[in-house]
Amino acid sequence: GANPVIAIGFTQAPAVKKVAAEFPKTQFAIVDTVVDAPNVKSIVFRDEEGSFMVGALAAQVTKSGKLGFVGGMDLPQIRRFECGYAQGARHINPKIEVVGSMVGTTPSAWADPARGAELARSQFSRGVDVVFAAAGGTGLGIYQAAKDSGKYAIGVDSNQNHLHPGTMLTSMVKRVDTAVFAAAKAVRDGDFKPGTQMMGLKDEGVEWALDEHNQKLVTPAMKKKLDAIRADIISGKIKITDFVAKGSCN
């Protein structure tokens, strides 16, 4: 009798596809992937926009001119984060170097903090001084390695600034709360529409996190620069390549 039924994460797609067909009068929503069905609303985020923002911040903070990225499972959706991050960094400094690593090719890549820490330390040894992790639970090892090495880390999805204040430069936040609230409200108000909804900076679907845990790391000049970049992305003045749509970052 529950309505709507809301699933979080692309791993839920097969279940939603199966069950939505079994309950055609129930309205479903799924976050972070697309399920094409007449009673399913798919909510996906412009991860490349939020990643562009944190890349632009990292490029303003780095002393070495080398940034790192560690992804979890090697998927186009995770390459989208890496691609957006690199574009944001190069918007600030076209000569900046971005070193990328992926943890693995199976779902276990999301839950391997030891491997994440190993990859982060390897990047630090190559001169990287800011690392962005899009690796689920594996990120905890990456953040700890950054703290232990005296480097900066960038969190993902939720605001993770509180995990290691002073180490966490920022977090690339996806507003799953906003998406879920909007989907539930649409059902209540009789405005539910199936299909795909994209949420980016314009829709407050993605953001970079600034709070009491990292405000000492972000100068007023950096914030002003990021505010200008956000406005240019929303207006379309800055064009960002979406790895998933294009199949490459070029």
Side-chain angles (χ1 to χ4, degrees):
N3 190 38
V5 174
I6 301 175
I8 308 297
F10 59 83
T11 58
Q12 304 298 317
V16 170
K17 188 172 184 178
K18 180 177 186 294
V19 178
E22 295 172 4
F23 294 85
K25 294 183 180 179
T26 299
Q27 292 157 320
F28 293 79
I30 186 164
V31 174
D32 243 4
T33 193
V34 174
V35 172
D36 186 14
N39 56 333
V40 178
K41 182 182 187 70
S42 302
I43 305 167
V44 291
F45 297 91
R46 298 190 186 278
D47 301 315
E48 71 278 9
E49 293 186 356
S51 298
F52 190 103
M53 296 291 291
V54 300
L57 177 58
Q60 294 179 77
V61 169
T62 180
K63 298 291 194 295
S64 67
K66 293 183 179 181
L67 304 179
F69 175 86
V70 179
M73 190 174 172
D74 193 352
L75 297 167
Q77 294 95 322
I78 302 304
R79 294 283 179 182
R80 173 189 272 157
F81 284 86
E82 180 181 20
C83 181
Y85 178 63
Q87 289 175 84
R90 289 172 184 142
H91 179 77
I92 299 295
N93 177 7
K95 296 182 179 179
I96 208 158
E97 183 180 346
V98 180
V99 178
S101 306
M102 293 289 174
V103 175
T105 57
T106 66
S108 64
W110 304 118
D112 194 345
R115 178 61 176 158
E118 180 185 340
L119 290 171
R121 285 193 295 267
S122 173
Q123 292 187 1
F124 297 149
S125 72
R126 296 168 61 184
V128 164
D129 56 2
V130 185
V131 64
F132 178 28
T138 297
L140 297 176
I142 296 165
Y143 308 147
Q144 184 65 53
K147 182 182 180 182
D148 294 344
S149 302
K151 311 296 185 183
Y152 289 121
I154 297 173
V156 75
D157 291 349
S158 63
N159 184 350
Q160 298 179 307
N161 292 355
H162 65 281
L163 293 177
H164 297 291
T167 293
M168 304 303 293
L169 177 61
T170 186
S171 297
M172 199 295 275
V173 178
K174 291 200 287 191
R175 296 300 304 270
V176 175
D177 54 343
T178 301
V180 169
F181 179 83
K185 185 173 183 295
V187 171
R188 187 197 69 177
D189 296 345
D191 294 332
F192 181 88
K193 294 181 178 65
T196 301
Q197 178 184 4
M198 295 285 291
M199 297 186 69
L201 289 169
K202 183 178 181 180
D203 319 287
E204 298 183 0
V206 295
E207 190 53 88
W208 66 283
L210 181 64
D211 58 22
E212 69 273 19
H213 300 297
N214 70 331
Q215 60 186 4
K216 292 181 180 178
L217 306 177
V218 181
T219 67
M222 291 174 187
K223 184 178 184 300
K224 184 177 180 181
K225 183 72 173 175
L226 291 180
D227 287 344
I229 290 171
R230 177 198 284 107
D232 285 346
I233 292 171
I234 291 172
S235 72
K237 184 178 178 180
I238 292 177
K239 308 287 187 188
I240 306 174
T241 298
D242 177 0
F243 185 94
V244 173
K246 191 172 182 183
S248 74
C249 199
N250 299 318

